[in-house]
Amino acid sequence: MLPATATLPEVIVLPATATLSMVRVLAVTDSLGTARTLPGAAWVSVNSVNSVKGGIDLGGTKVQAVIVDERHDVVAEAKQPTPTEGGPPEVVARMAATLAEAAAAAGVSTEELDGLGVGSPGAVDGETGMVGEARNLPGWDEPFAMGPALEEAVGTRTRLGNDVQVAVDGEFALGAGRESRSLLGVWWGTGVGGGIILDGKRWVGLGAAGEIGHIVVKQGGARCPCGRRGCMEAYAGRAAMEIRARKLKKKGHHTKLFKIMEKRDRTRLQSGIWARALEAKDGMAIALVDRAVEALGTGVASAVNVLDVETVVIGGGLGTRLGEPYVRRIEAAMLPHLFVSDRPPAVLGAALGDLGGAIGATLLV
Ligand SMILES: [Zn+2]
């Protein structure tokens, strides 16, 4: 509020990234753009606009950073590739550099951020900032104190969470689940991760709840990357789908998948490659994605039978890339397995898109 001495405050526009807690207003501009000096100087509190936070989504192939204002709107972003060597110190350095790039685009330094939240793969200890079992990250052979190292590098308080969990939290608070009290997030990507919100609160069980990828959809079925058999992820995870595709190709089956991969200078069948192969009506891609959709329908419906949530949100690299038509197909594949089939949950695609993981991470601080 302006003090009474300021007589003509029309609109004072400050950048969302203003970092001063008080600004001395000596002149204002009226609606015609004419500058007018205020009688006496007015001190205006801009506390309400000085809170900008950072968020990082750390993935196996890219580091995505965002800067959000207090309404969680993204004011700047930056993306850099995840280093392929150098181990944890190199990964932390890249994360700090990506955040600094985003912060610079927002007109602040990383030290001026009101905190940084990070979604990391692997087993994440939010208290100590330790990250272990992050097999997608280079040279991450044993647990590493990512939180303290990153906090040191960026100069602002830093909190860590599991990548899928923070993305699900983001959808619950700001995205597809914001009207719901209970939600099951299904993150369809390299693996199939999940997150559970019950009665408005995140449910982590004893720490590992939400591992929906390892719901068994077929006893004695396909080998899962986790070493067990018949898990949903063994059919629907992108890594498992790629192993299957390579095996079929070796046996002489025809597919465009690997030609598309080489053309795009990739070494892995990333989501975009599956999407292109589907568009090109590649028989193997269609068959493997159909198989994935069936497995997802079976596994997600089984989880819904236990949890009876209002909303299921489908996200993750493949889920987001394939989008709405495949969300509808998963919904249809769930129906035969739903115990209460006349009251199915809403099945929605993740609404925050590619930046959802990084935006969700900002909710940690
Ligand atoms: Zn498994």
Side-chain angles (χ1 to χ4, degrees), residues 299-315:
V300 175
S302 301
V304 168
N305 288 343
V306 176
L307 299 171
D308 198 16
V309 287
E310 279 173 67
T311 306
V312 172
V313 178
I314 309 288

Side-chain angles (χ1 to χ4, degrees), residues 214 224 226 231:
H214 307 285
C224 181
C226 78
C231 301

Side-chain angles (χ1 to χ4, degrees), residues 11 100 163 196 226-227 246 265 285 292 295 330 346 359:
V11 178
D163 54 355
I196 303 166
C226 78
R246 287 184 191 274
D265 213 16
I330 292 166
I359 295 169

Side-chain angles (χ1 to χ4, degrees), residues 186-193 233 236-241 271 296 315-319:
V186 180
W187 253 237
W188 183 19
T190 312
V192 185
E233 184 171 312
R238 211 180 61 205
M241 289 164 69
S271 302
L296 285 162
L318 208 45

Side-chain angles (χ1 to χ4, degrees), residues 14-46:
L14 293 162
T17 51
T19 54
L20 298 170
S21 60
M22 297 284 276
V23 177
R24 197 173 195 200
V25 178
L26 299 171
V28 293
T29 303
D30 67 19
S31 52
L32 298 172
T34 317
R36 285 193 273 176
T37 307
L38 289 175
W43 287 95
V44 183
S45 169
V46 292

